[in-house]
Amino acid sequence: AGVGAGWASLANFLLTLAALPLGRALGDRVAGRLLGRYALPLSGLLLVALGVWQVVGA
């Protein structure tokens, strides 16, 4: 891309710092209300699905 490694690292660091509070706010407000009571079963189903995918080899 023609960008130096130092500038790319700095940009990545700054964007990460900006994205962390944004993700936290969205998780607390939006996803917390929509998926709050289903978070544990959904995470379990996701882990099972990933395990099956690994066994099948897809």
Side-chain angles (χ1 to χ4, degrees), residues 6-47:
W7 288 112
S9 297
L10 179 63
N12 186 9
F13 175 72
L14 293 175
L15 287 173
T16 299
L17 286 180
L20 285 172
L22 177 64
R24 169 87 186 224
L26 287 174
D28 285 344
R29 294 186 186 136
V30 178
R33 288 186 207 148
L34 295 176
L35 301 175
R37 74 174 81 151
Y38 302 112
L40 189 60
L42 285 175
S43 64
L45 286 173
L46 180 61
L47 284 173

